[in-house]
Amino acid sequence: GQNIDQPTEMTATEGAIVQINCTYQTSGFNGLFWYQQHAGEAPTFLSYNVLDGLEEKGRFSSFLSRSKGYSYLLLKELQMKDSASYLCAVPRNTGFQKLVFGTGTRLLVSP
Amino acid sequence: NAGVMQNPRHLVRRRGQEARLRCSPMKGHSHVYWYRQLPEEGLKFMVYLQKENIIDESGMPKERFSAEFPKEGPSILRIQQVVRGDSAAYFCASSLLPGRGATKYYNEQFFGPGTRLTVL
């Protein structure tokens, strides 16, 4: 089965950098997703990693280490609108991409 | 290109009533997934459907819950005889193709805005 762990809450100030960690245990690995979810809204896709290393996309970057079962999402130059929950998810099995989500990390960005 | 549509956005039911949640996937998408999000919890997979077929319903409660994705029209998640514990946000997602193996190729799931079900 799959087990995903993320911190429940984090706080940071505008303009800062924050790193949100995710550890996972899977019976087979088919990549790892990060989604952003604002309160009361749909999750929106941020990134997908299947190979080790850092993927950069504007202010957001995502890192993966398959050997350690570890990923992080790095947010730079934080803005107030970045206050949201950040969800780490792994596909359950090859072919169907049933996503198993962590409980999410609620990020609060303050002025 | 419209995104994934869900309706209603909010649904209130009394215990014992039926709830019907609708999901129209993105244009061209033939794969639909339903997830449930309980308050303060993560999204939990319920069911994966293709047109006229249920592919994986391993996350669906065995009783009272059913899902369909007919040839024409939206996907429907049906909850019979609702109980207070069914109160949650129900999200639908759609994809163009199912996922593949451990390569750079993947298939993103696009989520709808959700239906918030409240059972009184």
Side-chain angles (χ1 to χ4, degrees):
Chain A
Q2 272 87 0
N3 192 38
I4 300 174
D5 289 308
Q6 309 179 231
T8 305
E9 282 189 358
M10 298 183 72
T11 57
T13 52
E14 211 172 1
I17 299 173
V18 71
Q19 178 175 312
I20 302 174
N21 296 325
C22 171
T23 57
Y24 64 88
Q25 295 163 341
T26 63
S27 53
F29 185 70
N30 294 295
L32 184 143
F33 289 82
W34 283 97
Y35 279 82
Q36 180 191 60
Q37 186 180 25
H38 285 98
E41 297 184 12
T44 54
F45 170 83
L46 289 178
S47 68
Y48 172 74
N49 294 68
V50 68
L51 302 174
D52 289 347
L54 188 68
E55 298 259 351
E56 296 188 70
K57 196 186 292 185
R59 293 190 300 115
F60 291 12
S61 303
S62 55
F63 171 83
L64 176 69
S65 169
R66 287 173 295 174
S67 62
K68 295 180 181 176
Y70 167 67
S71 174
Y72 67 72
L73 183 69
L74 193 70
L75 291 76
K76 302 176 187 174
E77 301 168 16
L78 280 173
Q79 302 174 8
M80 298 294 288
K81 67 178 182 179
D82 297 329
S83 293
S85 287
Y86 292 86
L87 314 178
C88 176
V90 295
R92 179 118 179 215
N93 50 16
T94 304
F96 300 141
Q97 205 170 333
K98 173 170 60 181
L99 293 177
V100 178
F101 284 86
T103 54
T105 298
R106 196 178 307 151
L107 174 66
L108 178 62
V109 180
S110 55
Chain B
N1 187 14
V4 178
M5 311 282 281
Q6 289 188 251
N7 68 82
R9 294 291 307 275
H10 298 273
L11 182 61
V12 179
R13 285 288 178 266
R14 296 191 181 279
R15 279 180 299 169
Q17 291 185 319
E18 179 180 284
R20 276 181 178 247
L21 288 62
R22 294 174 189 78
C23 169
S24 296
M26 283 183 71
K27 188 176 181 180
H29 286 192
S30 58
H31 301 266
V32 166
Y33 312 79
W34 284 93
Y35 293 84
R36 177 164 64 175
Q37 188 172 37
L38 293 167
E40 306 301 321
E41 292 189 15
L43 287 154
K44 295 280 195 288
F45 169 84
M46 298 181 75
V47 62
Y48 162 44
L49 309 103
Q50 295 179 24
K51 285 284 187 182
E52 300 184 279
N53 284 304
I54 297 174
I55 306 301
D56 183 343
E57 56 181 347
S58 58
M60 287 270 275
K62 294 285 186 283
E63 298 176 351
R64 304 189 297 110
F65 284 72
S66 62
E68 62 177 12
F69 188 17
K71 189 176 179 181
E72 302 290 338
S75 175
I76 307 283
L77 180 68
R78 183 181 176 209
I79 312 173
Q80 295 177 289
Q81 298 171 354
V82 295
V83 300
R84 290 222 174 99
D86 297 331
S87 295
Y90 291 83
F91 289 94
C92 167
S94 74
S95 67
L96 185 60
L97 293 168
R100 291 290 183 265
T103 66
K104 268 300 252 192
Y105 173 78
Y106 67 95
N107 194 57
E108 178 187 344
Q109 291 183 18
F110 294 84
F111 282 82
T115 294
R116 274 143 193 88
L117 172 65
T118 302
V119 179
L120 302 177

